[in-house]
Amino acid sequence: MNVLIVNAGSSSLKYQLFNTESKTALAKGGCERIGEEGGAISHKVPGKEPYERLADLKTHEDAIKLVIETLTDSKVGCIGSMSEIGAVGHRVVHGGPYFTGSVLATEEVLEKVELCRELAPLHIGPSLVGIHACLDVMKDVPQVLVFDTAFHSTMPKEAYTFAIPQEYSEKYHIRRYGFHGSSHRYVSREMIKILGKPAEETKIVTCHLGNGSSIAAVKGGKVLDTTMGFTPLDGLMMGTRSGAIDPAIVSFLMEKENLSAAEINTVLNKKSGILGVYGASSDFRDCRTAMEERKDERASLAIHMLAYQVKKYIGAYAAAMGGLDAVVFTAGIGENNNIIRSMPCKGLEFLGIDFDDEANDAVKRPIETTCLSKAGSKVKVYLIPTNEELIIAEDTEAVVSAL
Ligand code: ADP
């Protein structure tokens, strides 16, 4: 089946046409500046020249129409007509307490997604706009919603409950939800295959390290705990997000700097993390260059902080699971930077990790699944390139096939 995977942002719409038999993308691309001046589409079909053009994109509907026009174009496209799209799979950031798996986008389901809006206003609003645009333009094509939070819905109460007055938790659905679920699900599934033992017996820590980063403890194929919380701000420090900090810093800074709730939110989400500590960039590559080539102390501190936090969570989750079979690194930083894999694993010999520096330093492009632990290592360390699209496409096909 060809599944059109859609990820809608406030002024953007990213897409992939994914074939579930060949497990490959037939086309990828994105529309930018929707609702603004200078709208454009960029589109890539493997084996063909990349295609870009400006287009007046007033709404997400205009964008999705242009995507279909481009996919079915005789020169730059890859399919003959819209009928070759079997289903649409939407990536939705937050499923709140309502969704533990992927579902068909019915009216009833969309009403529940609407209830998740206040949990992630910046993400759910655009997702809903994208979903409605696709429903309007592709009336006969089934649409499936795949939630970033769903894989984490197996967490036990003691892991997902915050120690605040429970009437607030209940009133506002405040709890740990966790994010990057499709990525943690994909890499833990691959790791279970590599371990070659029954899924129920496996204990894996998955480290998704990108602009947004999270770690999950996956015990018996199910999430026991994860670092992101009520929102994707919790846990590890990220490109521009603070990660977990003493919550009293929030009210302290609001008072001292006379900041509103929106302003402190911006500080913690957009001005913190690597950017906040290093100061010059939120990109791990820039930070590493500054540390290695210019001996920049703040860059060095940012990298050592992140590595330390990753190490700390590996240890914490090994304890929470009562053991450890494997650690997996994935996503932009985890896949492309040897030091963020080696630094956290050093000093964990007592846990059974015998890290293989040679294998780690020899990782080449294209990035493939690679073992980073020595042959006799009790705990396996792996680099596994993530494939969230495969999970979204498979789930979409499964939901549609069951109709
Ligand atoms: P997002 O969370 O936006 O999907 P990514 O997973 O793409 O983010 O991760 C972005 C981070 O990955 C950046 O900090 C960047 O430095 C790093 N990164 C991405 N590609 C590379 C690369 N080829 N080499 C080194 N670092 C990379």
Side-chain angles (χ1 to χ4, degrees):
M1 178 187 282
N2 289 336
V3 176
L4 180 62
I5 299 171
V6 173
N7 189 354
S10 58
S11 65
S12 69
L13 187 144
K14 290 191 205 139
Y15 64 91
Q16 264 198 36
L17 187 64
F18 199 96
N19 181 271
T20 53
E21 282 91 47
S22 65
K23 298 186 194 274
T24 55
L26 306 179
K28 310 182 181 190
C31 293
E32 279 176 21
R33 296 178 183 267
I34 302 168
E36 300 169 10
E37 293 282 302
I41 185 167
S42 57
H43 173 82
K44 177 84 184 93
V45 172
K48 289 189 181 180
E49 282 293 302
Y51 170 77
E52 279 180 34
R53 87 169 166 90
L54 292 174
D56 187 19
L57 303 174
K58 287 197 180 61
T59 62
H60 283 71
E61 243 175 72
D62 292 341
I64 196 70
K65 278 183 191 154
L66 179 61
V67 168
I68 291 162
E69 206 179 284
T70 311
L71 286 169
T72 54
D73 184 272
S74 58
K75 274 207 195 104
V76 300
C78 56
I79 51 172
S81 76
M82 194 155 87
S83 64
E84 290 176 47
I85 301 175
V88 179
H90 293 271
R91 181 180 177 179
V92 185
V93 164
H94 216 310
Y98 311 106
F99 300 103
T100 56
S102 302
V103 288
L104 191 72
T106 60
E107 255 176 52
E108 197 190 348
V109 160
L110 291 176
E111 275 169 24
K112 283 207 180 124
V113 177
E114 193 61 55
L115 297 176
C116 301
R117 191 190 279 268
E118 69 171 1
L119 298 175
L122 296 179
H123 291 106
I124 293 292
S127 283
L128 278 165
V129 171
I131 295 162
H132 284 296
C134 289
L135 283 168
D136 284 346
V137 175
M138 308 173 77
K139 288 195 173 56
D140 300 325
V141 185
Q143 319 252 336
V144 173
L145 310 186
V146 182
F147 299 93
D148 268 5
T149 47
F151 185 52
H152 300 292
S153 62
T154 51
M155 278 187 283
K157 258 192 174 159
E158 61 267 32
Y160 74 66
T161 307
F162 291 114
I164 58 172
Q166 293 299 288
E167 63 262 32
Y168 293 145
S169 303
E170 281 155 27
K171 192 170 169 191
Y172 300 112
H173 305 293
I174 297 172
R175 50 161 284 179
R176 180 178 305 285
Y177 288 104
F179 299 86
H180 296 134
S182 299
S183 179
H184 289 292
R185 186 168 144 204
Y186 174 76
V187 298
S188 59
R189 188 176 84 180
E190 291 301 296
M191 193 65 233
I192 289 169
K193 284 188 213 158
I194 294 168
L195 288 170
K197 57 179 182 174
E200 302 74 50
E201 293 170 20
T202 55
K203 293 165 182 168
I204 302 170
V205 170
T206 49
C207 307
H208 176 111
L209 309 175
N211 267 330
S213 299
S214 65
I215 299 188
V218 187
K219 186 181 184 191
K222 293 179 182 157
V223 174
L224 175 72
D225 202 353
T226 189
T227 56
M228 281 182 166
F230 178 56
T231 71
L233 183 57
D234 198 6
L236 298 168
M237 63 185 276
M238 312 181 207
T240 61
R241 285 174 245 170
S242 63
I245 57 170
D246 179 344
I249 297 169
V250 176
S251 54
F252 181 87
L253 271 183
M254 286 174 84
E255 275 176 28
K256 291 283 180 200
E257 294 285 316
N258 201 16
L259 300 175
S260 66
E263 285 165 338
I264 191 76
N265 233 336
T266 304
V267 169
L268 298 177
N269 277 290
K270 306 260 188 233
K271 297 182 178 174
S272 299
I274 290 176
L275 178 64
V277 178
Y278 166 38
S281 168
S282 63
D283 193 293
F284 190 88
R285 265 170 296 195
D286 299 343
C287 194
R288 182 176 180 181
T289 307
M291 174 176 85
E292 291 176 346
E293 293 177 12
R294 299 196 292 281
K295 308 285 173 243
D296 186 295
E297 281 180 21
R298 287 174 62 175
S300 171
L301 175 61
I303 287 178
H304 283 83
M305 283 169 68
L306 177 60
Y308 173 74
Q309 292 178 7
V310 173
K311 174 185 279 187
K312 199 165 74 169
Y313 279 117
I314 293 172
Y317 286 169
M321 292 190 289
L324 185 64
D325 294 311
V327 177
V328 183
F329 290 96
T330 196
I333 301 177
E335 290 172 26
N336 292 295
N337 288 278
N338 55 352
I339 58 169
I340 209 59
R341 302 186 295 259
S342 59
M343 288 167 75
C345 289
K346 293 296 168 63
L348 293 187
E349 292 76 16
F350 78 97
L351 264 185
I353 294 181
D354 193 0
F355 193 74
D356 186 343
D357 276 303
E358 234 172 84
N360 186 44
D361 295 343
V363 172
K364 300 234 158 33
R365 263 160 242 289
I367 307 289
E368 286 171 357
T369 294
T370 312
C371 178
L372 306 176
S373 47
K374 292 196 183 147
S377 183
K378 196 168 128 298
V379 174
K380 309 283 172 238
V381 181
Y382 266 78
L383 159 59
I384 301 181
T386 196
N387 195 344
E388 292 163 285
E389 290 75 22
L390 178 65
I391 292 283
I392 296 173
E394 282 180 357
D395 262 26
T396 302
E397 185 177 40
V399 170
V400 171
S401 307
L403 290 179

